[in-house]
mmCIF file of all heavy atoms in Angstrom:
data_model
loop_
_atom_site.group_PDB
_atom_site.id
_atom_site.type_symbol
_atom_site.label_atom_id
_atom_site.label_comp_id
_atom_site.label_asym_id
_atom_site.label_seq_id
_atom_site.Cartn_x
_atom_site.Cartn_y
_atom_site.Cartn_z
ATOM 1 N N GLU A 1 -27.870 -9.803 -10.250
ATOM 2 C CA GLU A 1 -27.726 -8.469 -10.616
ATOM 3 C C GLU A 1 -26.474 -7.777 -9.783
ATOM 4 O O GLU A 1 -25.763 -6.906 -10.325
ATOM 5 C CB GLU A 1 -29.004 -7.569 -10.332
ATOM 6 C CG GLU A 1 -30.063 -8.109 -11.320
ATOM 7 C CD GLU A 1 -31.394 -7.166 -10.977
ATOM 8 O OE1 GLU A 1 -31.311 -6.415 -10.238
ATOM 9 O OE2 GLU A 1 -32.418 -7.561 -11.822
ATOM 10 N N LEU A 2 -26.455 -8.092 -8.609
ATOM 11 C CA LEU A 2 -25.378 -7.546 -7.807
ATOM 12 C C LEU A 2 -23.888 -8.003 -8.508
ATOM 13 O O LEU A 2 -23.081 -7.215 -8.604
ATOM 14 C CB LEU A 2 -25.318 -8.081 -6.389
ATOM 15 C CG LEU A 2 -26.507 -7.503 -5.539
ATOM 16 C CD1 LEU A 2 -26.438 -8.351 -4.119
ATOM 17 C CD2 LEU A 2 -26.273 -6.143 -5.340
ATOM 18 N N VAL A 3 -23.806 -9.091 -8.835
ATOM 19 C CA VAL A 3 -22.582 -9.591 -9.391
ATOM 20 C C VAL A 3 -22.320 -8.749 -10.748
ATOM 21 O O VAL A 3 -21.202 -8.280 -11.071
ATOM 22 C CB VAL A 3 -22.579 -11.161 -9.742
ATOM 23 C CG1 VAL A 3 -21.203 -11.537 -10.494
ATOM 24 C CG2 VAL A 3 -22.568 -11.766 -8.403
ATOM 25 N N ILE A 4 -23.361 -8.720 -11.679
ATOM 26 C CA ILE A 4 -23.234 -8.013 -12.878
ATOM 27 C C ILE A 4 -22.887 -6.489 -12.648
ATOM 28 O O ILE A 4 -22.103 -6.010 -13.432
ATOM 29 C CB ILE A 4 -24.487 -8.177 -13.756
ATOM 30 C CG1 ILE A 4 -24.732 -9.640 -14.266
ATOM 31 C CG2 ILE A 4 -24.464 -7.240 -14.948
ATOM 32 C CD1 ILE A 4 -26.054 -9.882 -14.796
ATOM 33 N N ASN A 5 -23.550 -5.854 -11.701
ATOM 34 C CA ASN A 5 -23.323 -4.495 -11.338
ATOM 35 C C ASN A 5 -21.887 -4.220 -10.951
ATOM 36 O O ASN A 5 -21.195 -3.227 -11.207
ATOM 37 C CB ASN A 5 -24.313 -3.921 -10.422
ATOM 38 C CG ASN A 5 -25.757 -3.870 -11.033
ATOM 39 O OD1 ASN A 5 -25.921 -3.820 -12.249
ATOM 40 N ND2 ASN A 5 -26.727 -3.955 -10.182
ATOM 41 N N GLN A 6 -21.441 -5.138 -10.153
ATOM 42 C CA GLN A 6 -20.007 -4.998 -9.572
ATOM 43 C C GLN A 6 -19.018 -5.208 -10.829
ATOM 44 O O GLN A 6 -17.971 -4.481 -10.821
ATOM 45 C CB GLN A 6 -19.721 -6.093 -8.540
ATOM 46 C CG GLN A 6 -20.523 -5.763 -7.198
ATOM 47 C CD GLN A 6 -20.251 -6.984 -6.203
ATOM 48 O OE1 GLN A 6 -19.668 -7.847 -6.535
ATOM 49 N NE2 GLN A 6 -20.969 -6.805 -5.024
ATOM 50 N N GLU A 7 -19.359 -6.129 -11.692
ATOM 51 C CA GLU A 7 -18.336 -6.389 -12.777
ATOM 52 C C GLU A 7 -18.345 -5.034 -13.637
ATOM 53 O O GLU A 7 -17.228 -4.636 -14.239
ATOM 54 C CB GLU A 7 -18.773 -7.665 -13.542
ATOM 55 C CG GLU A 7 -17.783 -7.864 -14.688
ATOM 56 C CD GLU A 7 -18.203 -9.139 -15.466
ATOM 57 O OE1 GLU A 7 -19.236 -9.758 -15.047
ATOM 58 O OE2 GLU A 7 -17.526 -9.559 -16.472
ATOM 59 N N LEU A 8 -19.547 -4.487 -13.899
ATOM 60 C CA LEU A 8 -19.615 -3.268 -14.748
ATOM 61 C C LEU A 8 -18.854 -2.149 -14.117
ATOM 62 O O LEU A 8 -18.185 -1.471 -14.821
ATOM 63 C CB LEU A 8 -21.103 -2.951 -15.050
ATOM 64 C CG LEU A 8 -21.853 -3.906 -16.048
ATOM 65 C CD1 LEU A 8 -23.331 -3.455 -16.111
ATOM 66 C CD2 LEU A 8 -21.237 -3.852 -17.359
ATOM 67 N N ALA A 9 -19.000 -1.992 -12.925
ATOM 68 C CA ALA A 9 -18.415 -0.933 -12.070
ATOM 69 C C ALA A 9 -16.811 -1.000 -12.200
ATOM 70 O O ALA A 9 -16.111 0.004 -12.382
ATOM 71 C CB ALA A 9 -18.815 -0.906 -10.651
ATOM 72 N N GLN A 10 -16.403 -2.314 -12.076
ATOM 73 C CA GLN A 10 -14.997 -2.499 -12.264
ATOM 74 C C GLN A 10 -14.320 -2.209 -13.611
ATOM 75 O O GLN A 10 -13.339 -1.467 -13.716
ATOM 76 C CB GLN A 10 -14.618 -3.958 -11.835
ATOM 77 C CG GLN A 10 -13.102 -4.311 -11.908
ATOM 78 C CD GLN A 10 -12.350 -3.539 -10.886
ATOM 79 O OE1 GLN A 10 -12.924 -3.157 -9.723
ATOM 80 N NE2 GLN A 10 -11.050 -3.360 -11.108
ATOM 81 N N ARG A 11 -15.086 -2.589 -14.524
ATOM 82 C CA ARG A 11 -14.585 -2.275 -15.992
ATOM 83 C C ARG A 11 -14.731 -0.713 -16.254
ATOM 84 O O ARG A 11 -13.866 -0.220 -17.093
ATOM 85 C CB ARG A 11 -15.665 -3.106 -16.973
ATOM 86 C CG ARG A 11 -15.389 -4.509 -16.976
ATOM 87 C CD ARG A 11 -16.363 -5.313 -17.946
ATOM 88 N NE ARG A 11 -16.021 -4.865 -19.236
ATOM 89 C CZ ARG A 11 -16.834 -5.206 -20.283
ATOM 90 N NH1 ARG A 11 -17.921 -5.961 -20.099
ATOM 91 N NH2 ARG A 11 -16.513 -4.813 -21.509
ATOM 92 N N LEU A 12 -15.797 -0.051 -15.816
ATOM 93 C CA LEU A 12 -15.863 1.420 -15.944
ATOM 94 C C LEU A 12 -14.671 2.085 -15.319
ATOM 95 O O LEU A 12 -14.130 2.985 -15.930
ATOM 96 C CB LEU A 12 -17.170 1.872 -15.358
ATOM 97 C CG LEU A 12 -17.534 3.405 -15.527
ATOM 98 C CD1 LEU A 12 -17.489 3.901 -17.042
ATOM 99 C CD2 LEU A 12 -18.787 3.753 -14.770
ATOM 100 N N ARG A 13 -14.347 1.722 -13.997
ATOM 101 C CA ARG A 13 -13.222 2.386 -13.451
ATOM 102 C C ARG A 13 -11.961 2.141 -14.143
ATOM 103 O O ARG A 13 -11.085 2.965 -14.299
ATOM 104 C CB ARG A 13 -13.015 1.777 -11.967
ATOM 105 C CG ARG A 13 -14.005 2.264 -11.007
ATOM 106 C CD ARG A 13 -13.596 1.972 -9.617
ATOM 107 N NE ARG A 13 -13.714 0.540 -9.365
ATOM 108 C CZ ARG A 13 -14.715 -0.117 -8.822
ATOM 109 N NH1 ARG A 13 -16.000 0.638 -8.558
ATOM 110 N NH2 ARG A 13 -14.810 -1.430 -8.718
ATOM 111 N N GLU A 14 -11.670 0.828 -14.838
ATOM 112 C CA GLU A 14 -10.411 0.700 -15.481
ATOM 113 C C GLU A 14 -10.549 1.582 -16.810
ATOM 114 O O GLU A 14 -9.406 2.042 -17.194
ATOM 115 C CB GLU A 14 -10.411 -0.830 -15.979
ATOM 116 C CG GLU A 14 -10.307 -1.890 -14.720
ATOM 117 C CD GLU A 14 -10.249 -3.160 -15.028
ATOM 118 O OE1 GLU A 14 -10.427 -3.469 -16.336
ATOM 119 O OE2 GLU A 14 -10.100 -4.043 -14.188
ATOM 120 N N ALA A 15 -11.618 1.602 -17.376
ATOM 121 C CA ALA A 15 -11.690 2.539 -18.650
ATOM 122 C C ALA A 15 -11.423 4.009 -18.325
ATOM 123 O O ALA A 15 -10.857 4.609 -19.009
ATOM 124 C CB ALA A 15 -12.975 2.197 -19.466
ATOM 125 N N VAL A 16 -11.968 4.459 -17.322
ATOM 126 C CA VAL A 16 -11.861 5.892 -16.935
ATOM 127 C C VAL A 16 -10.415 6.121 -16.603
ATOM 128 O O VAL A 16 -9.799 7.170 -16.885
ATOM 129 C CB VAL A 16 -12.686 6.193 -15.792
ATOM 130 C CG1 VAL A 16 -12.399 7.634 -15.306
ATOM 131 C CG2 VAL A 16 -14.194 6.180 -16.309
ATOM 132 N N ASN A 17 -9.699 5.268 -15.993
ATOM 133 C CA ASN A 17 -8.327 5.373 -15.580
ATOM 134 C C ASN A 17 -7.385 5.446 -16.657
ATOM 135 O O ASN A 17 -6.248 6.031 -16.659
ATOM 136 C CB ASN A 17 -7.822 4.265 -14.622
ATOM 137 C CG ASN A 17 -8.552 4.401 -13.275
ATOM 138 O OD1 ASN A 17 -8.982 5.570 -12.819
ATOM 139 N ND2 ASN A 17 -8.772 3.189 -12.572
ATOM 140 N N ARG A 18 -7.635 5.104 -17.991
ATOM 141 C CA ARG A 18 -6.950 5.094 -19.062
ATOM 142 C C ARG A 18 -7.035 6.435 -19.878
ATOM 143 O O ARG A 18 -6.306 6.622 -20.840
ATOM 144 C CB ARG A 18 -7.229 3.799 -20.062
ATOM 145 C CG ARG A 18 -6.748 2.505 -19.462
ATOM 146 C CD ARG A 18 -6.745 1.521 -20.549
ATOM 147 N NE ARG A 18 -8.182 1.138 -20.974
ATOM 148 C CZ ARG A 18 -8.811 0.127 -20.462
ATOM 149 N NH1 ARG A 18 -8.375 -0.636 -19.414
ATOM 150 N NH2 ARG A 18 -10.170 -0.227 -20.986
ATOM 151 N N LEU A 19 -8.055 7.235 -19.478
ATOM 152 C CA LEU A 19 -8.102 8.539 -20.125
ATOM 153 C C LEU A 19 -7.132 9.526 -19.692
ATOM 154 O O LEU A 19 -6.542 9.348 -18.621
ATOM 155 C CB LEU A 19 -9.599 9.094 -19.691
ATOM 156 C CG LEU A 19 -10.871 8.288 -20.271
ATOM 157 C CD1 LEU A 19 -12.146 8.896 -19.750
ATOM 158 C CD2 LEU A 19 -10.889 8.204 -21.769
ATOM 159 N N PRO A 20 -6.937 10.519 -20.353
ATOM 160 C CA PRO A 20 -6.079 11.693 -20.022
ATOM 161 C C PRO A 20 -6.426 12.332 -18.755
ATOM 162 O O PRO A 20 -7.641 12.125 -18.347
ATOM 163 C CB PRO A 20 -6.011 12.649 -21.235
ATOM 164 C CG PRO A 20 -6.599 11.829 -22.407
ATOM 165 C CD PRO A 20 -7.399 10.824 -21.873
ATOM 166 N N PRO A 21 -5.570 12.902 -18.000
ATOM 167 C CA PRO A 21 -5.878 13.352 -16.601
ATOM 168 C C PRO A 21 -7.063 14.360 -16.672
ATOM 169 O O PRO A 21 -7.906 14.205 -15.868
ATOM 170 C CB PRO A 21 -4.761 13.963 -16.198
ATOM 171 C CG PRO A 21 -3.558 13.368 -16.901
ATOM 172 C CD PRO A 21 -4.151 13.055 -18.318
ATOM 173 N N ARG A 22 -7.070 15.326 -17.647
ATOM 174 C CA ARG A 22 -8.115 16.341 -17.539
ATOM 175 C C ARG A 22 -9.602 15.775 -17.950
ATOM 176 O O ARG A 22 -10.589 16.006 -17.311
ATOM 177 C CB ARG A 22 -7.821 17.529 -18.503
ATOM 178 C CG ARG A 22 -6.551 18.146 -18.173
ATOM 179 C CD ARG A 22 -6.082 19.373 -19.040
ATOM 180 N NE ARG A 22 -7.170 20.536 -18.844
ATOM 181 C CZ ARG A 22 -7.010 21.616 -19.530
ATOM 182 N NH1 ARG A 22 -6.107 21.791 -20.538
ATOM 183 N NH2 ARG A 22 -7.924 22.628 -19.415
ATOM 184 N N GLN A 23 -9.550 14.852 -18.935
ATOM 185 C CA GLN A 23 -10.849 14.194 -19.310
ATOM 186 C C GLN A 23 -11.228 13.315 -18.082
ATOM 187 O O GLN A 23 -12.571 13.233 -17.811
ATOM 188 C CB GLN A 23 -10.673 13.462 -20.596
ATOM 189 C CG GLN A 23 -10.392 14.326 -21.706
ATOM 190 C CD GLN A 23 -10.195 13.487 -23.042
ATOM 191 O OE1 GLN A 23 -10.279 12.257 -23.016
ATOM 192 N NE2 GLN A 23 -9.871 14.263 -24.168
ATOM 193 N N ARG A 24 -10.369 12.556 -17.491
ATOM 194 C CA ARG A 24 -10.725 11.721 -16.263
ATOM 195 C C ARG A 24 -11.313 12.569 -15.250
ATOM 196 O O ARG A 24 -12.326 12.101 -14.597
ATOM 197 C CB ARG A 24 -9.453 11.049 -15.906
ATOM 198 C CG ARG A 24 -9.803 10.062 -14.704
ATOM 199 C CD ARG A 24 -8.700 9.025 -14.472
ATOM 200 N NE ARG A 24 -7.495 9.784 -13.991
ATOM 201 C CZ ARG A 24 -6.339 9.995 -14.733
ATOM 202 N NH1 ARG A 24 -6.257 9.208 -15.984
ATOM 203 N NH2 ARG A 24 -5.236 10.580 -14.267
ATOM 204 N N THR A 25 -10.801 13.836 -15.025
ATOM 205 C CA THR A 25 -11.284 14.537 -13.832
ATOM 206 C C THR A 25 -12.540 15.174 -14.190
ATOM 207 O O THR A 25 -13.487 15.203 -13.365
ATOM 208 C CB THR A 25 -10.326 15.698 -13.634
ATOM 209 O OG1 THR A 25 -8.985 15.227 -13.411
ATOM 210 C CG2 THR A 25 -10.720 16.605 -12.581
ATOM 211 N N VAL A 26 -12.863 15.664 -15.459
ATOM 212 C CA VAL A 26 -14.144 16.044 -15.837
ATOM 213 C C VAL A 26 -15.269 15.003 -15.750
ATOM 214 O O VAL A 26 -16.265 15.232 -15.303
ATOM 215 C CB VAL A 26 -14.070 16.539 -17.315
ATOM 216 C CG1 VAL A 26 -15.450 16.891 -17.919
ATOM 217 C CG2 VAL A 26 -13.192 17.792 -17.474
ATOM 218 N N LEU A 27 -14.974 13.794 -16.261
ATOM 219 C CA LEU A 27 -15.905 12.683 -15.976
ATOM 220 C C LEU A 27 -16.305 12.403 -14.621
ATOM 221 O O LEU A 27 -17.468 12.220 -14.155
ATOM 222 C CB LEU A 27 -15.491 11.488 -16.802
ATOM 223 C CG LEU A 27 -15.682 11.353 -18.338
ATOM 224 C CD1 LEU A 27 -15.167 10.053 -18.782
ATOM 225 C CD2 LEU A 27 -17.123 11.686 -18.707
ATOM 226 N N SER A 28 -15.248 12.445 -13.702
ATOM 227 C CA SER A 28 -15.314 12.065 -12.402
ATOM 228 C C SER A 28 -16.276 13.166 -11.629
ATOM 229 O O SER A 28 -17.150 12.816 -10.853
ATOM 230 C CB SER A 28 -13.930 12.012 -11.636
ATOM 231 O OG SER A 28 -13.398 10.917 -12.200
ATOM 232 N N LEU A 29 -15.985 14.378 -11.968
ATOM 233 C CA LEU A 29 -16.716 15.419 -11.318
ATOM 234 C C LEU A 29 -18.234 15.363 -11.940
ATOM 235 O O LEU A 29 -19.145 15.800 -11.229
ATOM 236 C CB LEU A 29 -16.054 16.828 -11.703
ATOM 237 C CG LEU A 29 -14.828 17.027 -10.935
ATOM 238 C CD1 LEU A 29 -14.155 18.344 -11.334
ATOM 239 C CD2 LEU A 29 -14.962 17.017 -9.371
ATOM 240 N N ARG A 30 -18.467 15.190 -13.298
ATOM 241 C CA ARG A 30 -19.694 15.332 -13.749
ATOM 242 C C ARG A 30 -20.627 14.248 -13.443
ATOM 243 O O ARG A 30 -21.898 14.488 -13.207
ATOM 244 C CB ARG A 30 -19.529 15.215 -15.350
ATOM 245 C CG ARG A 30 -20.862 15.241 -16.245
ATOM 246 C CD ARG A 30 -21.544 16.523 -15.932
ATOM 247 N NE ARG A 30 -22.723 16.577 -16.803
ATOM 248 C CZ ARG A 30 -23.549 17.456 -16.621
ATOM 249 N NH1 ARG A 30 -23.557 18.360 -15.673
ATOM 250 N NH2 ARG A 30 -24.762 17.468 -17.511
ATOM 251 N N TYR A 31 -20.070 12.932 -13.140
ATOM 252 C CA TYR A 31 -21.156 11.879 -12.858
ATOM 253 C C TYR A 31 -20.923 11.389 -11.304
ATOM 254 O O TYR A 31 -21.425 10.375 -10.876
ATOM 255 C CB TYR A 31 -20.739 10.654 -13.712
ATOM 256 C CG TYR A 31 -21.033 11.053 -15.231
ATOM 257 C CD1 TYR A 31 -20.145 11.145 -16.193
ATOM 258 C CD2 TYR A 31 -22.471 11.093 -15.617
ATOM 259 C CE1 TYR A 31 -20.541 11.364 -17.538
ATOM 260 C CE2 TYR A 31 -22.882 11.424 -16.950
ATOM 261 C CZ TYR A 31 -21.870 11.558 -17.750
ATOM 262 O OH TYR A 31 -22.175 11.926 -19.167
ATOM 263 N N GLY A 32 -20.154 12.196 -10.626
ATOM 264 C CA GLY A 32 -19.892 11.806 -9.175
ATOM 265 C C GLY A 32 -19.140 10.587 -8.968
ATOM 266 O O GLY A 32 -19.459 9.924 -7.946
ATOM 267 N N LEU A 33 -18.147 10.206 -9.779
ATOM 268 C CA LEU A 33 -17.345 9.124 -9.527
ATOM 269 C C LEU A 33 -16.336 9.174 -8.352
ATOM 270 O O LEU A 33 -16.118 8.140 -7.778
ATOM 271 C CB LEU A 33 -16.623 8.723 -10.916
ATOM 272 C CG LEU A 33 -17.422 8.490 -12.075
ATOM 273 C CD1 LEU A 33 -16.443 8.117 -13.202
ATOM 274 C CD2 LEU A 33 -18.412 7.309 -11.926
ATOM 275 N N SER A 34 -16.048 10.364 -8.158
ATOM 276 C CA SER A 34 -15.078 10.605 -7.014
ATOM 277 C C SER A 34 -15.857 11.163 -5.755
ATOM 278 O O SER A 34 -15.080 11.496 -4.849
ATOM 279 C CB SER A 34 -13.901 11.416 -7.491
ATOM 280 O OG SER A 34 -14.275 12.704 -8.007
ATOM 281 N N SER A 35 -17.071 11.542 -5.855
ATOM 282 C CA SER A 35 -17.793 12.174 -4.775
ATOM 283 C C SER A 35 -19.160 11.774 -4.702
ATOM 284 O O SER A 35 -19.557 10.995 -5.633
ATOM 285 C CB SER A 35 -17.689 13.714 -4.844
ATOM 286 O OG SER A 35 -18.372 14.132 -5.972
ATOM 287 N N ASP A 36 -20.069 12.230 -3.939
ATOM 288 C CA ASP A 36 -21.408 11.673 -3.740
ATOM 289 C C ASP A 36 -22.371 12.552 -4.548
ATOM 290 O O ASP A 36 -23.504 12.266 -4.520
ATOM 291 C CB ASP A 36 -21.897 11.768 -2.182
ATOM 292 C CG ASP A 36 -20.988 10.729 -1.505
ATOM 293 O OD1 ASP A 36 -20.572 9.850 -1.965
ATOM 294 O OD2 ASP A 36 -20.872 10.957 -0.261
ATOM 295 N N ARG A 37 -21.894 13.588 -5.303
ATOM 296 C CA ARG A 37 -22.851 14.447 -5.949
ATOM 297 C C ARG A 37 -22.283 14.794 -7.297
ATOM 298 O O ARG A 37 -21.082 14.883 -7.545
ATOM 299 C CB ARG A 37 -23.169 15.805 -5.155
ATOM 300 C CG ARG A 37 -21.936 16.732 -4.899
ATOM 301 C CD ARG A 37 -22.377 17.848 -4.052
ATOM 302 N NE ARG A 37 -21.342 18.775 -3.823
ATOM 303 C CZ ARG A 37 -21.165 19.826 -4.465
ATOM 304 N NH1 ARG A 37 -21.999 20.049 -5.543
ATOM 305 N NH2 ARG A 37 -20.088 20.658 -4.337
ATOM 306 N N ASP A 38 -23.254 15.072 -8.230
ATOM 307 C CA ASP A 38 -22.785 15.508 -9.696
ATOM 308 C C ASP A 38 -22.571 16.957 -9.804
ATOM 309 O O ASP A 38 -23.214 17.775 -8.887
ATOM 310 C CB ASP A 38 -23.921 15.019 -10.720
ATOM 311 C CG ASP A 38 -24.221 13.588 -10.576
ATOM 312 O OD1 ASP A 38 -23.310 12.875 -10.163
ATOM 313 O OD2 ASP A 38 -25.352 13.194 -11.139
ATOM 314 N N CYS A 39 -21.641 17.430 -10.611
ATOM 315 C CA CYS A 39 -21.323 18.812 -10.732
ATOM 316 C C CYS A 39 -21.654 19.208 -12.186
ATOM 317 O O CYS A 39 -21.679 18.563 -13.129
ATOM 318 C CB CYS A 39 -19.824 19.052 -10.566
ATOM 319 S SG CYS A 39 -19.186 18.667 -8.812
ATOM 320 N N SER A 40 -22.098 20.509 -12.302
ATOM 321 C CA SER A 40 -22.503 21.089 -13.643
ATOM 322 C C SER A 40 -21.225 21.518 -14.321
ATOM 323 O O SER A 40 -20.222 21.564 -13.631
ATOM 324 C CB SER A 40 -23.402 22.248 -13.327
ATOM 325 O OG SER A 40 -22.833 23.397 -12.604
ATOM 326 N N PHE A 41 -21.414 21.836 -15.549
ATOM 327 C CA PHE A 41 -20.154 22.309 -16.272
ATOM 328 C C PHE A 41 -19.585 23.524 -15.868
ATOM 329 O O PHE A 41 -18.449 23.829 -15.895
ATOM 330 C CB PHE A 41 -20.595 22.361 -17.832
ATOM 331 C CG PHE A 41 -20.764 21.108 -18.441
ATOM 332 C CD1 PHE A 41 -22.055 20.735 -19.018
ATOM 333 C CD2 PHE A 41 -19.765 19.968 -18.544
ATOM 334 C CE1 PHE A 41 -22.308 19.540 -19.524
ATOM 335 C CE2 PHE A 41 -19.961 18.840 -19.195
ATOM 336 C CZ PHE A 41 -21.266 18.458 -19.586
ATOM 337 N N ARG A 42 -20.404 24.448 -15.218
ATOM 338 C CA ARG A 42 -19.986 25.643 -14.768
ATOM 339 C C ARG A 42 -19.089 25.457 -13.546
ATOM 340 O O ARG A 42 -17.911 26.107 -13.489
ATOM 341 C CB ARG A 42 -21.182 26.526 -14.407
ATOM 342 C CG ARG A 42 -20.710 27.954 -13.813
ATOM 343 C CD ARG A 42 -21.994 28.689 -13.540
ATOM 344 N NE ARG A 42 -22.812 28.086 -12.559
ATOM 345 C CZ ARG A 42 -22.645 28.213 -11.187
ATOM 346 N NH1 ARG A 42 -21.457 28.768 -10.714
ATOM 347 N NH2 ARG A 42 -23.366 27.559 -10.333
#
């Protein structure tokens, strides 16, 4: 499970990096990809 989770996390980062900057920032803030907490749309 550790190997599978690490592979999924790597593929997710690659897919998010291919998004436009504003959409990438919204996803990172919404799901806490760049920080330790999630943010609301407000």
Side-chain angles (χ1 to χ4, degrees):
E1 293 185 1
L2 287 175
V3 174
I4 294 174
N5 292 335
Q6 291 176 358
E7 184 179 356
L8 288 176
Q10 180 65 26
R11 293 179 60 186
L12 178 61
R13 284 192 293 268
E14 294 175 357
V16 172
N17 290 333
R18 290 196 292 265
L19 295 174
R22 298 182 72 178
Q23 295 180 359
R24 181 170 63 247
T25 304
V26 170
L27 283 182
S28 299
L29 293 175
R30 178 60 177 168
Y31 297 107
L33 300 180
S34 57
S35 62
D36 295 335
R37 63 188 185 92
D38 304 339
C39 299
S40 62
F41 289 120
R42 182 180 60 80

